[in-house]
Amino acid sequence: MPWERTNAIETTLLWGGLSELPEQSEIVKVETMGNMVTRTFLLEFNLSKQELVNWISSSKRLKGQNPIIDED
């Protein structure tokens, strides 16, 4: 259902301490796994390299991290 997808995206960003995704992002996959105790969300999206760097630096839990970026 569309509201489940939207809720999964919002929860992923909230629980992960992440900034809102930029408007230019293309969401590729949204998955919810587990149960009430072991809930896991997987969010896969595409951004340009510069947009990704900006998003990482604006996300409180990612700020200061040095991610490995796969050019493929």
Side-chain angles (χ1 to χ4, degrees), residues 13-26:
L13 298 174
L14 178 66
W15 288 5
L18 306 171
S19 294
E20 291 293 321
L21 293 175
E23 289 183 26
Q24 303 85 352
S25 62
E26 172 194 355

Side-chain angles (χ1 to χ4, degrees), residues 35-48:
N35 57 42
M36 288 186 344
V37 176
T38 64
R39 182 68 65 204
T40 301
F41 296 97
L42 175 65
L43 177 59
E44 185 177 327
F45 58 93
N46 290 322
L47 285 174
S48 72

Side-chain angles (χ1 to χ4, degrees), residues 2-4 11 18 24 28 31 33 38 46 50 56 59:
W3 65 85
E4 291 174 351
T11 303
L18 306 171
Q24 303 85 352
V28 177
E31 288 185 40
M33 299 167 272
T38 64
N46 290 322
Q50 187 57 50
I56 289 171
S59 295

Side-chain angles (χ1 to χ4, degrees), residues 1-13 30 32 41:
M1 296 292 177
W3 65 85
E4 291 174 351
R5 176 182 165 95
T6 300
N7 184 267
I9 294 168
E10 290 172 357
T11 303
T12 301
L13 298 174
V30 178
T32 304
F41 296 97

Side-chain angles (χ1 to χ4, degrees), residues 51-64:
E51 291 169 331
L52 181 60
V53 168
N54 293 341
W55 180 75
I56 289 171
S57 66
S58 70
S59 295
K60 67 180 179 181
R61 289 232 178 121
L62 297 178
K63 202 180 298 185

